[in-house]
Structures are given as structure tokens and as C-alpha cells.
Amino acid sequence: MKIGNVTLDNNIFLAPMAGITDIPFRLLCKEQGCGLTYTEMVSAKGIYYNDEKTKRLTAVDDEEGKVALQIFGSDPDIMAKVTERLNDSDACIIDINMGCPTPKITKNGDGCALMLEPDLVGKIVREVSRASVKPVTVKIRKGWDENRVNAVEIAKIAEENGAAAVAVHGRTREQFYSGKADWSIIRQVKESVSIPVIGNGDVFTPEDAKKMFDETNCDAIMIGRGAQGNPWIFNRIIKYLEGSKDVLDPNISVKTKVDIIKRHMQMLVELKGEQCGVREMRKHIAWYVKGMYNSSRVKEKVFKAITQDEVCDILNELLESNM
């Protein structure tokens, strides 16, 4: 699959998720065959004003393969100037966030709030596309609410102003992540534009992936919550779609999960230090151990742990109790 001049290994992508899709998690998903990963969304203003914490979010590891760097903001000039700075980034694609539903983002006119301003959308995409030497893509939602469903309109505007692809989450901003994603809006967007369309929302199994492709005719799918604690989903989907009989069992062994958790935590600690790494690993562990015997007790202990050794002891106990 190609997006602009970028050739990708496959069309199964990892969605950008704040506080989740950092380098360690992206590397784990890449190892499982993910065709394109996305950074956490990065504030264009933060980069513009040289905020060190924000700049760290733009880092890409040499071993990651193809990575899209997602930025958010609503000032076309700042977005363009930041894009020029990112031309030297190791990321291969610049993605514009127009789908984030959280109040702290939308209250400033960023994220999904941009879908309420079609003219501004056009100007942002145009200025970013002019400034970028990399393909520019846009991530949107179905609309702001059911009375303002305008994904088709926004996708057309994005295409007309230089976007090389558009990702569509089948929920409105009002829904956040509740209810069911409306895949029909993804199909409508696909029928309305000539650039690649990436479907997003409610893909948790290989069967879901095939169904989304079949129902929407989208060019790629983007997995968010389905990958939380489950980087193996990419391997499973790719093999399933290829018709392989060697599809991984969805019930990954406890030992395999514990080994990956420890490795994931080690990467986080090396990148961010023990205190921060252990703290950020807590939510991942909660996702990894979901459904295991004694998982509630494990999560309770993990959320009190402050050192890597403490967490490893808890994980070893979990392994013993599930043998």
C-alpha cells in the first residue's frame, strides 16, 4: 500500500493514542507486523515554543520502520512552521489530528472541534501540505454529533487541499468511545474521495478487520483500543486476511504475556527512568492481564508498586498462580 510516495508493508495500522503509542509500544506492535504506527498526538504550539517535553514525543527510533507523526492545533501558520521543522524528522508521514474528542483539546478549537470549521480545515491542510516534504494525512470522526455529521465534507476538503489520505473514526465527538462505531460513514467517505481511506473503530479481532474491509471497501484499517495489551492483534489479522492456517490463538499464554510485560516495562524504564516507566506501565499491565485468574488482585498490587523489581515480583506470582 502507498500513501503519497511512502510504500508500506501492509494496510494494518496502529492508531495514535495519547499516553500509549510511545516508542516502546510502537516497537512491540511493529514486531507483530503492524504496517504503520502513529506517535501520540503532539501539540504544534508545544513544538513551536520549544517545549522539551513536547519535543520528546516526536522522537522516532531507528528500529521502528514506518511511523506517522501526528500533530494537533488550529493555527494554520503555526502548524505550517512546525511542519517545516519536522521535515527533518525520521517519521515518514505528518498526520493532522481532527478527531480527538477530549474537552481539554476541543475547548481550544483543536482536535474534533476543527470539524465545526470546514474553511479552517481547508486552510490548515493546505498550509501544512505546502510546508511538508512528507505526505500529509488527516484523522477525523463521523462528525461532532448526530446533527452535524460531516465526515464526507471534511474528507473532500482535506483531499482538495493536499491530503494524501484520510482516517475516519466511525463515532461522533459526542459519543467519545461509547456505543457502536458507524462503519457506513467510512464507506461513504471512501465513495467520495480518491485518496486512500483508513477505517477506524471497533476492530478487536481478525474477523472484525475482514468485516470492516468488506463493508466499507476502505484501503486500510487502524486499530486503537483493540491493541491495548494486545500487540499480537496485528500478526493475527495479517495472517487471517492472508488465509493462513497459522493464525495465533487469541488466548496468548500467561508466560508469553508476562515475558512481554517485563520487556515492555524494561523499554519504558530505559526510555523514561524507573519512576516514570513503572508508573506509565501500570495501565498497560491492567490491559495485558485482563481476564487472567487473579487479575484484579494483580492490578491492585501493581498500582501501588513503585519499582521495577516490585512489579516483576508481582508478575512472577501471577505466573505461578496461573500455572
Side-chain angles (χ1 to χ4, degrees), residues 39-58:
T39 66
E40 304 173 62
M41 64 178 189
V42 183
S43 167
K45 284 186 177 179
I47 300 174
Y48 184 75
Y49 291 110
N50 297 308
D51 178 75
E52 287 301 319
K53 184 177 179 181
T54 302
K55 286 169 67 177
R56 285 195 292 272
L57 294 176
T58 69

Side-chain angles (χ1 to χ4, degrees), residues 41 70-73 95-100 110-112 114 139:
M41 64 178 189
Q70 188 185 74
I71 58 175
F72 74 91
D95 185 67
I96 305 171
N97 182 304
M98 297 189 182
C100 181
D110 303 334
C112 197
L114 286 170
K139 189 170 190 291

Side-chain angles (χ1 to χ4, degrees), residues 66-311:
K66 302 293 173 57
V67 181
L69 200 164
Q70 188 185 74
I71 58 175
F72 74 91
S74 51
D75 185 314
D77 293 332
I78 288 179
M79 296 282 278
K81 289 175 182 176
V82 163
T83 298
E84 289 179 353
R85 295 188 195 178
L86 296 173
N87 280 331
D88 293 330
S89 166
D90 289 331
C92 64
I93 290 170
I94 298 298
D95 185 67
I96 305 171
N97 182 304
M98 297 189 182
C100 181
T102 59
K104 70 177 182 179
I105 299 298
T106 59
K107 72 179 181 181
N108 295 319
D110 303 334
C112 197
L114 286 170
M115 295 187 70
L116 299 172
E117 304 286 346
D119 290 341
L120 181 56
V121 166
K123 189 170 183 181
I124 289 172
V125 177
R126 182 169 63 252
E127 295 304 315
V128 170
S129 296
R130 285 175 177 172
S132 181
V133 299
K134 310 171 191 290
V136 172
T137 60
V138 181
K139 189 170 190 291
I140 64 175
R141 281 186 168 238
K142 178 179 178 179
W144 184 259
D145 55 33
E146 289 298 332
N147 294 317
R148 286 169 284 190
V149 173
N150 63 342
V152 170
E153 176 191 10
I154 297 297
K156 286 181 177 180
I157 290 171
E159 179 180 33
E160 290 165 0
N161 286 278
V166 61
V168 185
H169 185 122
R171 288 182 173 85
T172 63
R173 185 270 175 179
E174 187 177 53
Q175 284 181 279
F176 278 72
Y177 299 97
S178 66
K180 186 178 179 181
D182 178 11
W183 290 356
S184 69
I185 194 67
I186 301 170
R187 184 185 67 248
Q188 291 171 42
V189 171
K190 174 59 183 172
E191 292 170 349
S192 302
V193 298
S194 59
I195 56 176
V197 173
I198 305 159
N200 180 218
D202 290 353
V203 174
F204 297 98
T205 66
E207 292 80 7
D208 292 337
K210 185 177 187 305
K211 187 176 179 183
M212 176 178 275
F213 277 124
D214 291 344
E215 291 188 7
T216 70
N217 199 33
C218 62
D219 301 280
I221 61 172
M222 177 183 281
I223 302 168
R225 290 177 298 152
Q228 292 174 355
N230 185 26
W232 302 275
I233 191 170
F234 298 99
N235 180 290
R236 296 185 64 235
I237 288 174
I238 292 165
K239 289 188 174 181
Y240 180 82
L241 294 176
E242 290 174 346
S244 172
K245 295 181 180 179
D246 188 29
V247 178
L248 283 172
D249 188 320
N251 299 310
I252 306 298
S253 73
V254 176
K255 184 180 186 310
T256 297
K257 285 193 174 184
V258 167
D259 287 345
I260 285 292
I261 292 170
K262 288 180 178 179
R263 183 164 164 243
H264 190 166
M265 179 170 58
Q266 180 62 34
M267 289 192 289
L268 272 173
V269 168
E270 289 175 358
L271 181 67
K272 305 180 181 183
E274 184 171 45
Q275 183 177 20
C276 181
V278 169
R279 185 174 65 248
E280 292 195 10
M281 193 62 205
R282 292 168 178 166
K283 59 181 178 289
H284 289 284
I285 293 174
W287 292 322
Y288 278 117
V289 304
K290 185 177 180 181
M292 287 187 193
Y293 174 74
N294 216 22
S295 61
S296 296
R297 179 61 177 155
V298 168
K299 286 185 282 187
E300 182 181 336
K301 287 183 176 181
V302 163
F303 274 82
K304 294 177 181 177
I306 57 175
T307 70
Q308 189 174 1
D309 286 343
E310 284 180 90
V311 175

